[in-house]
Amino acid sequence: SPNPNKRIADTYDYLERKGMRKASFVVCQSEAMKKYLLEKYDFLTANRIFSYKCGADGKLFYIDNDIRTSIRKELGVKETETLFIYSGGLHKWQRIEDSVNLFVDYAKKHEGKFLILTLDKEAAQALVNQTGEELKNRFIIHSVTNKEVYKYLNAADVAFLLRDDVVLNRVASPTKLAEYMFCGLPIISTNVSTYWIEDPSYIYNADIEKNLDKVNDFIKNADREAIAKYALEYLSVECDRRNLNILINEAKR
């Protein structure tokens, strides 16, 4: 909120501090959040805090080149075209309008299409209509079940995940990030992504580049297998389970 109520904020801070003091263990959503809590509360110790990132399931999201070929054919996307994708809701904080604008600038100079995978097809269509008649046919709007999402991620070459660089987003661990990476997708994001993963080579930083002029080279140099391997190691439900097992064993002592 641009105009937060200080009394309410102070009340939340008081309750959080009291809860942290009383808790034997703290479960938070990311390593960045763990670091933030350790800096905020000097009485906390690292061995009391465990991250649960709400990671992706490698059984539902994975690389499949055969599916990539078939879905691109279904969508009418040529192999020479770069397919951008956004998967998720269309709330203001998800910055889909900024993603559309970046793609529009790209599409004026390069071959490419933008697949918007969302349940809110009407809102997506209204957004696309604003781009003008010349570029409307470069967008594909589609809705699928969660079990089918991986097919369309495989068809894409790069994914949008734009977020504002604020504390709330810094300490997040977007499940969408994990889903994209499990399918081997390099990602277009912002400065806040440096808090999500350690390897910046997987992210095209639109805050630094300001446009997508260099995105084709970024995609070309992306190692999809290495991206998926990183997701498995750091952003998976298996990783979450390991952390919870450590927590359970500590609690039993």
Side-chain angles (χ1 to χ4, degrees):
S1 170
N3 300 298
N5 183 309
K6 188 176 185 306
R7 194 172 83 171
I8 292 176
D10 287 345
T11 300
Y12 284 148
D13 263 340
Y14 166 76
L15 291 173
E16 182 180 75
R17 179 176 291 274
K18 191 171 183 179
M20 293 294 170
R21 282 195 181 279
K22 286 180 173 292
S24 300
F25 300 100
V26 177
V27 180
C28 61
Q29 199 182 352
S30 67
E31 291 301 314
M33 183 65 172
K34 179 176 180 177
K35 182 180 177 183
Y36 174 78
L37 290 173
L38 287 170
E39 290 173 352
K40 185 174 181 180
Y41 300 113
D42 57 8
F43 54 81
L44 283 178
T45 55
N47 64 344
R48 288 174 58 195
I49 308 176
F50 296 82
S51 64
Y52 188 93
K53 299 177 181 178
C54 301
D57 189 341
K59 295 177 182 177
L60 293 177
F61 296 91
Y62 50 87
I63 296 174
D64 191 315
N65 290 320
D66 291 334
I67 285 177
R68 171 183 171 84
T69 301
S70 65
I71 296 295
R72 286 177 78 96
K73 185 177 180 180
E74 172 194 314
L75 297 173
V77 179
K78 296 181 290 187
E79 277 305 315
T80 55
E81 292 179 306
T82 301
L83 182 60
F84 296 75
I85 193 169
Y86 170 78
S87 173
L90 304 181
H91 300 97
K92 185 177 178 62
W93 58 269
Q94 292 166 311
R95 294 183 58 177
I96 180 63
E97 189 170 351
D98 291 329
S99 298
V100 168
N101 291 336
L102 279 171
F103 175 75
V104 165
D105 288 341
Y106 173 90
K108 291 175 181 176
K109 308 172 190 175
H110 307 278
E111 269 195 302
K113 290 184 177 176
F114 186 177
L115 170 59
I116 301 176
L117 210 59
T118 182
L119 296 177
D120 198 350
K121 294 178 71 173
E122 289 186 9
Q125 189 61 60
L127 190 60
V128 168
N129 289 344
Q130 297 174 20
T131 64
E133 290 298 323
E134 186 180 345
L135 292 171
K136 276 172 56 176
N137 65 347
R138 306 284 287 275
F139 290 86
I140 305 167
I141 300 171
H142 209 54
S143 293
V144 296
T145 65
N146 187 55
K147 289 184 178 179
E148 295 177 295
V149 169
Y150 83 98
K151 298 179 182 179
Y152 295 86
L153 297 185
N154 270 282
D157 297 296
V158 65
F160 279 110
L161 189 60
L162 304 184
R163 294 288 188 272
D164 291 332
D165 187 4
V166 295
V167 172
L168 181 66
N169 289 331
R170 287 181 180 185
V171 299
S173 182
T175 302
K176 199 59 60 181
L177 173 75
E179 292 176 2
Y180 287 157
M181 293 186 71
F182 259 105
C183 293
L185 283 174
I187 295 162
I188 300 167
S189 191
T190 56
N191 286 333
V192 75
S193 62
T194 60
Y195 293 88
W196 298 340
I197 61 175
E198 295 178 359
D199 193 332
S201 67
Y202 301 145
I203 305 287
Y204 185 96
N205 191 329
D207 283 340
I208 294 175
E209 297 297 343
K210 305 298 182 185
N211 55 48
L212 301 182
D213 286 346
K214 299 178 183 178
V215 77
N216 285 342
D217 288 335
F218 168 70
I219 295 168
K220 183 178 178 181
N221 293 326
D223 184 336
R224 294 178 70 115
E225 295 290 343
I227 292 171
K229 184 178 179 182
Y230 182 96
L232 178 63
E233 189 169 352
Y234 296 104
L235 303 173
S236 66
V237 291
E238 288 82 2
C239 183
D240 286 334
R241 290 189 188 113
R242 284 197 300 271
N243 281 340
L244 284 185
N245 282 333
I246 294 171
L247 167 58
I248 291 167
N249 290 332
E250 286 291 323
K252 287 179 177 178
R253 289 185 178 184

